[in-house]
Amino acid sequence: MHQHAQQHETAVDGAPPLGRLHEIGGRRLMVHRSGSGGPTVVFVAGASAVGLDYLNLHNRVSEFTTSMLYDRAGTGWSDEVELPRTATEVADELRNLLRAVGVPAPYLLVGHSLGGAYVRRFAQLFPDEVAGLLLLEPSHEDWSIAAFPHRPITPSP
């Protein structure tokens, strides 16, 4: 675990392997954007993932439209942030980032795991800026199903 923290510290201090760091709200956030056209597909990583984990999908999507990977604050190559954070804070951060880097709405938001909760919140707050949501399995809502599979309830004899 110490090795992971050490690698993360080094990565944050240096430039990301792809993309650029953009300052949003006093923090640097990693963004990697490719392709052209719209709607822009924005990948929102789960709790244990970073934007570049979706690089293969991003590359394929960027063949027919704009695709964007990013690391929210506290993950990957982006600056640290004090936790806990609300889904509203993460959605606001993403919206400010999209505006700062000049990515026009509407967006197709792709959320994986915890990222599913964040894209849902974004859509609730900014519905006119969302073309659609794609929740990759397992999305945040699937956690309880995966952890506690539903069992048929049978009456007692």
Side-chain angles (χ1 to χ4, degrees):
M1 184 152 161
H2 176 70
Q3 181 183 8
H4 175 69
Q6 197 172 32
Q7 289 173 346
H8 180 71
E9 182 178 335
T10 302
V12 170
D13 292 340
L18 288 173
R20 295 184 38 217
L21 295 172
H22 295 270
E23 188 166 326
I24 304 298
R27 293 183 197 95
R28 297 174 307 155
L29 302 178
M30 188 286 293
V31 174
H32 177 60
R33 183 170 64 173
S34 303
S36 62
T40 297
V41 177
V42 180
F43 289 89
V44 181
S48 62
V50 298
L52 292 178
D53 287 335
Y54 305 90
L55 185 59
N56 287 339
L57 287 172
H58 162 84
N59 288 338
R60 295 295 300 267
V61 168
S62 69
E63 293 174 7
F64 57 87
T65 193
T66 304
S67 182
M68 186 178 116
L69 304 173
Y70 91 108
D71 291 334
R72 66 183 165 273
T75 66
W77 282 267
S78 292
D79 285 346
E80 294 296 321
V81 68
E82 190 172 321
L83 298 174
R85 293 178 53 181
T86 66
T88 298
E89 290 171 313
V90 173
D92 284 338
E93 175 186 83
L94 176 56
R95 185 180 195 220
N96 291 334
L97 177 64
L98 290 164
R99 287 178 166 191
V101 299
V103 178
Y107 313 110
L108 173 60
L109 302 172
V110 180
H112 173 248
S113 190
L114 182 58
Y118 295 145
V119 300
R120 281 180 170 268
R121 186 62 182 145
F122 190 104
Q124 289 171 339
L125 294 171
F126 316 111
D128 293 340
E129 298 178 22
V130 177
L133 299 178
L134 176 59
L135 303 176
L136 301 178
E137 191 177 333
S139 70
H140 181 62
E141 292 78 12
D142 293 332
W143 287 354
S144 62
I145 295 169
F148 307 101
H150 297 331
R151 296 187 185 124
I153 298 174
T154 54
S156 299

